[in-house]
Structure formats: structure tokens, C-alpha cells
Amino acid sequence: MTFNSFNPPQRILMGPGPSDVSARVLSALARPTVGHLDPLFINMMDEVKTLLQFAFQTKNEFTIALSAPGSAGMEACFVNLVEAGDKVIVCRNGVFGDRMIQNVNRIGAEAVVVDSPWARAVETHKVKAALHDHPDAKFLAFVHAETSTGAVSDAKALCKMAQEHDCLTIVDAVTSLGGVELKVDEWGIDAIYSGTQKCMSCVPGISPLSFSPKAVAVVQNRKTQIQSWFLDQTLVMGYWSGEGKRSYHHTAPVNSLYALHEALVMLHDEGLENSWARHKEQHEVLAKGLKELGIEFIVPEEERLPQLNAIYIPEGADDAKIREYLLEHYNLEIGAGLGAFAGKAWRIGLMGHAAKSENVALCLTALKDALSQ
Amino acid sequence: MTFNSFNPPQRILMGPGPSDVSARVLSALARPTVGHLDPLFINMMDEVKTLLQFAFQTKNEFTIALSAPGSAGMEACFVNLVEAGDKVIVCRNGVFGDRMIQNVNRIGAEAVVVDSPWARAVETHKVKAALHDHPDAKFLAFVHAETSTGAVSDAKALCKMAQEHDCLTIVDAVTSLGGVELKVDEWGIDAIYSGTQKCMSCVPGISPLSFSPKAVAVVQNRKTQIQSWFLDQTLVMGYWSGEGKRSYHHTAPVNSLYALHEALVMLHDEGLENSWARHKEQHEVLAKGLKELGIEFIVPEEERLPQLNAIYIPEGADDAKIREYLLEHYNLEIGAGLGAFAGKAWRIGLMGHAAKSENVALCLTALKDALSQ
């Protein structure tokens, strides 16, 4: 048996992630590997921390890049903060809210589920009622930007409610970070995680993570041991302490962190508000073009994420065949529907580097062509 | 505040990992990102699986690349196989055996600890006695190649003993895979994990993992739910099923997997036996040179790993200053001692791509220079 090097084609990634990675980030990724305890690498990690604080809009001392994908970031929040027997109000309006519930259950904690319809924002009045009905709830968990449907929830309002009931908040920002307004400190988010492969336009595999001082205190005052060794952030806090000394926990994914550093430098250069505005502008052009094609969004206008456009598959169109056609003829990837929307919706991502005029133009033209086949 | 791109120097990595990554692997890493469900990527993943089966010398259907570092690979083995109340015999002769115990404890299982001296192989007679004394033990766990000390244990003999007592084996092969003889099927290893940043000479962040059919049956017949969602391999088995259909679990670290594929193709081209022989040859040259410098190994000759040479810091030499000198004057990284050997030993890695004459020559010359300062 012989094996050859893998040479992927240059795709245009307009699915729900991974998003297009720029040549600049790919080039950073391929720089020579240094040791994870090399003083130069440690300096770079300090910058990654500062840049993540900027991206999250937080002063949280505990702001790190977890060495695993966003789903591990989710689990890191739950296993560090939540103990068996704790009550957690979890909002579910898509796949990722459901995954939060599974995380709570596996800890032996109690999930109070607040269901909102898929493809809609979390219904704040239901959350308010749940907080009122469960004064013993310690945490409120919700997804800011549901990647499965493209709906954005009112994170600011949800955090305010939680604070009024002395609940800490655990927030999924996998698809929101860099793409829409997100202000960790101003909104009072206590634990937040994201992914690198969405609006950061970085390679997949890393999860930015930030805990408020209040959340850190909860972790440090637990009664029981954290059930995961790998995700135990008390062991990692020393590693990311920024005091110039890194204790060994695990080998950091050196090259992926080069890439994240570069992606964050680019975001910093552009400016957060500019990035949010760019995503919105490109979304509006795309939405207009989709309307002209007679295609409907699954999410009402005011609850739509600009960076993730979930649309109904037009009647008579073959889901898989159309996506295959786009990939084969245009090297264009759009995403299938997930969960309740599998086979019913497509998800068009305009994330990070992919949120640009040439991509929107191509997508509209290619989709029109594919639908007319 | 302004931030610039990070441009690391070209180091020569002769520590305990990450090891030197070849230009060929770095170049694969930087190829354009495709979607994790792209048919071409799925084909590549099938090859990664086949190549990992080759590297592990196994036919195990469940052979995957976990999307996180080796310490997550360790945890994946324990949380999937071991349930609360189970008895696990754990061999400890260094840092990583100790970490295994922490994994067992966090599951609520019982660890029967067999201690052997650091910098020595696991003492098989002690393991034999423990297996005899604990007929209810379900698992025997040990580290094949202790990265903290450079000692190799007799994995073949330990597995044979475990089989005689109907114990499944959980084996740490983080530093052994590709560097010394390792035969998963022939030796009868049931669960094994490794890392990419050692003798694979790939970037850090991925953990090759393989379960025997017997181990898979244990996972599938558990009485209790696996405590980790991210590491629950029953959810990932579908993703890696090789039936051409991948169900979504998490976004695979696409680019890191390009790099692993390339590193495995290179290992396959070289041949496993040739790779083992190369590590041994380079080790012998290094050992001879170290002897000439009057430097002693911490591990007896017959228990030494060729790819990780742990040596006593010569009397009067300043640990940190010498390592700093090597890094500053020669861009050469060697490793500090870990755990009981912190401040007492250095660890010189000859791993994968780094196991070559030019590195050995440089290391000996540079060390001689540094020690004479």
C-alpha cells in the first residue's frame, strides 16, 4: 500500500464553520515549532491573553485559549463551575443548548430546561419565570449565537436577569465572538467560551475561555474535586498566570496558537466594531440577493445572526445534490441543516475572513445556477 | 497598544517534546482549510486511520486521532473504560503514572498503586503480585515510555500478565510510538493513547488512540454514563466509522490532521523498524559522547529509551543558566527535569525528525561549550 501527501483544493468555506482561513493565518500556522516553555513562546501567550481580553471585551484575569475545540470549552465551563446537586437553568433553542443539558446531567447536577422554539431567540419572559420559580438555581446557561439555527439571543438582558437572581451566567459564544456585539464585562457574563474556527477565521481546535473573578472564586471554593483532569482549570491557572513562569500541565498546541495570535492581531487591527459592521453589511447584501431568489430565512429578521444565515431549502430542490453541485462546480461549501432542520434548511456562513463581497457575490450566483439545474 | 505578527526563531528541539517538526509537515499544516465534513477530508481521515493502525501495529477498528493533546487521550481511555467502583492496578514510576492515578480517582474508581523507583522500568514482579492479590482488578494501567525519566517498561510482559488475570490493559505510548518497538495486537494491548509531538514529529495537539474489540465491548456495555461529553467515544465512533458517512460530533482540527497525515506518510515511507533503528543508532552516538563528557544517565542502560535521554546535571553546573545558554547561543532546546528530578536532571530528546546525526553532533558540542563557560 502506498500513501501520498494530501493536497486539498482551495475551497470557499461558507458553511457554519470552519470558516475561510486567510493566507496570513495559514502562514503563521506553519512557522517553526518552538518549545511550549520557550520564553519567546510564553511572551506570545501573554499577548494571546491580552488579545482575547480585547476580543471578549473583558478585564478577566482568567482568559485563556483552551487546547481543544469549542465543545471542550463548553465542558470546561460546566465541570469547573457546576457541582453534583447544583441547579442550572439551561435555555434550549437549538443543538447547542441541548448539549449544555447533557453536560449538566453528566456532572450529576440538575438542569431546569427552558425551551424556546428552534430558529428563534431564547424567550426572555420564560427565563424570567424560571429564575423566579427556582430561587435555588446557581447558574443560568444559554447560547448567545445558536450555530444550528442562526438565531441570536439577547445576552445582555439574560445576564441582567441572572444577576438580579444571584445566578452566575455560562455563555456559549462559539459563533458570536468577533461577529456580533459581545461585551463580557459590561453585560456581566461570568463564564464564556468560544471557538477559533468561526468569526476568528482561525483553524479549528482551540477554545477561547474567560471566567469572571466571581466564577474563579466559585471554582476555587468547590466542595468536590473537578471530575476532569484535562479540563481542571485550577491546574491551568498557574500555566496562564502571566507571571513569567509557566508550570507544566500539558503540551500547548504551539502552532495552532501562532495562528490564533495572528487572527487576533488581524481582528485588533480591524477593530471589533468594524468587524461587527462588516459582518452586518455583507449579511444585508446576501439577504437581499436571497430574497430576489425567493429564498426565505428560517429566523425572523430581528433575531438573525449576520454571520450565519439559515434558509429554507426551496421546494423541489435536492438538499445533498445542490450542496454537492456547489462544491464540485464552485469549490463552495455551504452547510446542511442540523437537528430539527436537517434536510429542511441550509446554513450559509459569513464568518470572519469569509464575510466579504466576493464571497457573497459568488454564493448568490452559484446558488442561482445550482437551483436552475 | 499595537501588536505584531509573531515570528519565532528556528529552534532545534531536543527536549522531551514538542520535537522538531519537518518543513514537509509544516507545509502540510498550512494547506488550505477545508470543511470537516468535506468528502475529500473524510477520505484523508480514512487514511489517517489506516496509517495509525500501521503505526500502532493493530487491526483495531477503533483507531482514531483524538482532537486534543495526549493528556486528553489518557483521560479518554480512563473515562470510557473505567466506571466508579472499578479496581485499576496503576503502575507508577514517574509523573505520568501518577497522572493515571489522578484520572482513576476522579472517576470514583479505586487505584491499586504499584510503585517502582523513578528512572527505572516498572518492576514486573510487583505487578505480578498485585494481580495475584487483587483478582477483582479489571484493568492494569502503565506507561510504556516514561517521559519524565526516559525509562522504558516491558509492555509485552506486563500485558501477558494482565491477560493471565483477565485484566484489560491501558497503556501510555505518548513517547514510545514510532520511537521504539510497540506492537499493540501482538502484545495484546486493549487501550492505548499517544501524542503527535514526540516521535511522530508532528505539531502538538492531537492524541492517537486505539481500543481493542474487547475494550470497545467494555465501553458499550457500561452500566453508567461516561462522565465526559467531549471524550465520550461512543459519540465519536460514528464519526470515525469509515462507512463514508460522518455524523457531526465536533469540528475536527482540520489543519493539524493534515500535518498528522503527512507525518504518518513519512513514517510509513521510512518503515517502522527503520525508524526504531534510527532512534537507537542516534542514541548510541549521543550516549558515547555524553560518556566522554563525563555525564551519567539517570536510567540503567538496559532500561533506557533511545528517544529520551535523561542525564544527571553535572556537579557545579547551573541548571537554568546552561539551558538558557544553549537556547541563546545555539537555538538548542533541551528539557529540564520533571517531578523528583527537577533541578537534578536534563532530558535530551532524540525524537522523530530530531533523531539525526547533525542534531547529536550539535548537542554534544554545544553542551561541552556551555559546561565550560
Side-chain angles (χ1 to χ4, degrees):
Chain A
M1 223 169 163
T2 57
F3 295 89
N4 299 312
S5 297
F6 177 64
N7 281 290
Q10 176 77 59
R11 302 288 201 205
I12 294 130
L13 300 180
M14 298 181 74
S19 61
D20 267 348
V21 180
S22 67
R24 191 171 149 185
V25 169
L26 287 174
S27 151
L29 182 67
R31 291 187 183 129
T33 309
V34 298
H36 62 119
L37 299 172
D38 193 303
L40 296 175
F41 181 69
I42 288 172
N43 287 347
M44 192 210 73
M45 279 171 68
D46 287 338
E47 283 200 5
V48 167
K49 180 177 159 177
T50 307
L51 285 161
L52 283 177
Q53 287 171 327
F54 156 75
F56 276 131
Q57 294 285 285
T58 184
K59 292 196 168 67
N60 286 344
E61 176 61 25
F62 185 75
T63 300
I64 71 156
L66 186 82
S67 307
S71 45
M74 177 190 285
E75 189 159 327
C77 288
F78 284 96
V79 297
N80 281 276
L81 286 162
V82 180
E83 296 188 71
D86 282 352
K87 196 180 259 192
V88 187
I89 298 175
V90 186
C91 307
R92 174 169 60 187
N93 62 335
V95 166
F96 296 93
D98 192 71
R99 188 175 293 180
M100 284 178 156
I101 297 165
Q102 296 176 44
N103 270 273
V104 172
N105 291 339
R106 285 174 194 241
I107 293 166
E110 186 191 340
V112 175
V113 181
V114 176
D115 269 309
S116 296
W118 279 49
R120 297 298 306 268
V122 168
E123 292 161 304
T124 48
H125 69 279
K126 286 192 185 166
V127 176
K128 197 170 189 173
L131 284 163
H132 180 267
D133 294 348
H134 299 277
D136 54 336
K138 287 191 181 169
F139 304 95
L140 170 67
F142 64 89
V143 178
H144 184 206
E146 246 301 341
T147 320
S148 60
T149 66
V152 63
S153 289
D154 189 345
K156 189 179 177 179
L158 290 168
C159 288
K160 190 158 181 277
M161 281 178 197
Q163 282 147 24
E164 286 164 4
H165 288 83
D166 276 333
C167 256
L168 267 67
T169 44
I170 299 175
V171 179
D172 179 318
V174 169
T175 291
S176 59
L177 184 66
V180 283
E181 189 184 37
L182 172 62
K183 297 186 166 176
V184 169
D185 285 358
E186 193 181 313
W187 297 352
I189 293 171
D190 292 296
I192 191 163
Y193 59 93
S194 188
T196 45
Q197 79 283 13
K198 311 282 183 181
C199 299
M200 295 284 103
S201 268
C202 181
V203 289
I206 304 279
S207 178
L209 191 67
S210 185
F211 288 179
S212 72
K214 231 195 280 181
V216 171
V218 168
V219 178
Q220 286 173 335
N221 293 304
R222 289 174 61 100
K223 289 185 207 79
T224 57
Q225 194 175 38
I226 293 162
Q227 67 189 31
S228 169
W229 185 89
F230 175 60
L231 298 175
D232 183 341
Q233 296 307 299
T234 64
L235 304 175
V236 184
M237 283 173 186
Y239 190 75
W240 282 88
S241 70
E243 289 158 23
K245 192 186 178 314
R246 302 277 190 228
S247 59
Y248 168 70
H249 178 259
H250 65 275
T251 305
V254 174
N255 292 70
S256 295
L257 288 165
Y258 294 168
L260 177 59
H261 180 271
E262 192 75 17
L264 285 165
V265 168
M266 288 171 74
L267 182 64
H268 188 262
D269 285 352
E270 179 177 19
L272 262 186
E273 287 77 8
N274 291 338
S275 176
W276 300 338
R278 176 170 53 82
H279 283 87
K280 192 161 177 293
E281 278 161 28
Q282 294 306 325
H283 159 74
E284 280 165 5
V285 181
L286 180 72
K288 189 167 165 283
L290 289 170
K291 201 177 169 188
E292 283 165 16
L293 292 175
I295 292 175
E296 308 270 352
F297 278 79
I298 70 169
V299 178
E301 195 168 345
E302 62 283 6
E303 296 172 7
R304 276 177 212 161
L305 281 167
Q307 64 269 47
L308 189 55
N309 300 267
I311 53 175
Y312 284 109
I313 298 173
E315 224 170 299
D318 185 312
D319 175 15
K321 273 194 184 150
I322 297 272
R323 286 186 291 111
E324 226 174 272
Y325 183 89
L326 293 173
L327 204 60
E328 274 180 23
H329 291 257
Y330 296 98
N331 270 310
L332 174 66
E333 179 179 276
I334 65 166
L338 202 58
F341 284 99
K344 294 180 188 158
W346 288 324
R347 290 177 296 161
I348 301 178
L350 287 172
M351 294 179 177
H353 183 63
K356 53 186 175 187
S357 313
E358 49 270 51
N359 279 21
V360 173
L362 168 71
C363 181
L364 290 169
T365 307
L367 204 54
K368 191 175 173 182
D369 173 29
L371 289 169
S372 70
Q373 292 299 311
Chain B
M1 223 169 163
T2 57
F3 295 90
N4 299 312
S5 297
F6 177 64
N7 281 291
Q10 175 77 60
R11 302 289 201 203
I12 294 130
L13 300 180
M14 298 182 74
S19 62
D20 267 348
V21 180
S22 68
R24 191 171 149 185
V25 169
L26 288 174
S27 150
L29 182 67
R31 291 187 182 128
T33 309
V34 299
H36 63 120
L37 299 172
D38 193 302
L40 296 174
F41 181 69
I42 288 173
N43 287 347
M44 192 210 74
M45 278 170 70
D46 287 338
E47 282 199 7
V48 167
K49 180 177 160 176
T50 306
L51 285 161
L52 283 177
Q53 287 171 326
F54 156 76
F56 276 131
Q57 294 284 286
T58 184
K59 291 196 169 67
N60 286 344
E61 177 61 25
F62 186 76
T63 301
I64 71 157
L66 187 82
S67 307
S71 44
M74 177 190 284
E75 189 160 326
C77 288
F78 284 96
V79 296
N80 280 276
L81 286 162
V82 180
E83 296 188 70
D86 282 351
K87 195 180 260 193
V88 187
I89 298 175
V90 186
C91 308
R92 174 170 58 185
N93 62 335
V95 166
F96 296 93
D98 192 70
R99 189 176 293 180
M100 284 178 156
I101 297 165
Q102 295 176 44
N103 270 273
V104 172
N105 290 340
R106 285 174 195 240
I107 293 166
E110 186 190 342
V112 176
V113 180
V114 176
D115 270 309
S116 297
W118 279 48
R120 296 299 306 269
V122 169
E123 292 161 305
T124 48
H125 69 278
K126 285 193 185 166
V127 176
K128 197 170 188 173
L131 284 163
H132 180 268
D133 294 348
H134 299 277
D136 55 336
K138 288 191 180 169
F139 304 95
L140 171 67
F142 65 88
V143 178
H144 185 207
E146 245 303 341
T147 320
S148 60
T149 65
V152 63
S153 290
D154 190 343
K156 189 178 177 180
L158 291 167
C159 288
K160 190 156 181 281
M161 280 178 197
Q163 282 147 25
E164 286 164 3
H165 287 82
D166 277 332
C167 258
L168 267 67
T169 45
I170 299 175
V171 179
D172 179 316
V174 169
T175 291
S176 59
L177 183 67
V180 283
E181 189 183 36
L182 172 62
K183 297 186 167 177
V184 169
D185 285 359
E186 193 181 312
W187 296 353
I189 293 170
D190 292 297
I192 190 163
Y193 59 92
S194 188
T196 46
Q197 79 283 15
K198 311 281 183 181
C199 299
M200 295 284 103
S201 268
C202 181
V203 289
I206 304 279
S207 177
L209 191 67
S210 185
F211 288 178
S212 72
K214 232 195 281 182
V216 170
V218 168
V219 177
Q220 286 173 337
N221 294 304
R222 289 174 61 100
K223 289 185 208 79
T224 57
Q225 194 175 38
I226 293 161
Q227 68 189 32
S228 168
W229 185 91
F230 175 62
L231 297 175
D232 183 341
Q233 296 306 299
T234 64
L235 304 175
V236 183
M237 283 173 186
Y239 189 76
W240 281 88
S241 70
E243 289 158 23
K245 191 187 179 314
R246 302 277 189 228
S247 59
Y248 168 71
H249 178 259
H250 65 275
T251 304
V254 174
N255 291 71
S256 295
L257 287 166
Y258 294 168
L260 177 58
H261 181 272
E262 192 75 17
L264 286 165
V265 168
M266 288 170 74
L267 181 64
H268 188 262
D269 285 351
E270 179 177 20
L272 262 186
E273 287 76 8
N274 291 338
S275 176
W276 300 338
R278 176 170 53 82
H279 284 87
K280 191 161 179 295
E281 278 161 28
Q282 295 306 325
H283 159 75
E284 281 164 5
V285 182
L286 180 72
K288 191 168 163 283
L290 289 170
K291 200 177 169 188
E292 283 164 17
L293 292 175
I295 292 175
E296 307 270 352
F297 278 79
I298 69 170
V299 179
E301 194 168 344
E302 62 283 6
E303 296 172 9
R304 276 177 211 161
L305 280 169
Q307 64 269 46
L308 188 55
N309 301 268
I311 53 174
Y312 285 108
I313 299 173
E315 224 170 301
D318 184 311
D319 175 14
K321 272 195 185 149
I322 296 273
R323 286 187 290 111
E324 226 174 272
Y325 183 89
L326 294 173
L327 203 60
E328 274 180 23
H329 290 257
Y330 296 98
N331 270 310
L332 174 66
E333 178 180 276
I334 66 167
L338 202 58
F341 283 100
K344 294 179 188 158
W346 288 323
R347 291 177 296 160
I348 302 178
L350 286 173
M351 295 178 177
H353 182 63
K356 54 186 177 188
S357 313
E358 50 269 51
N359 280 20
V360 173
L362 168 71
C363 181
L364 289 169
T365 308
L367 203 55
K368 192 176 172 182
D369 173 28
L371 288 169
S372 69
Q373 292 300 310

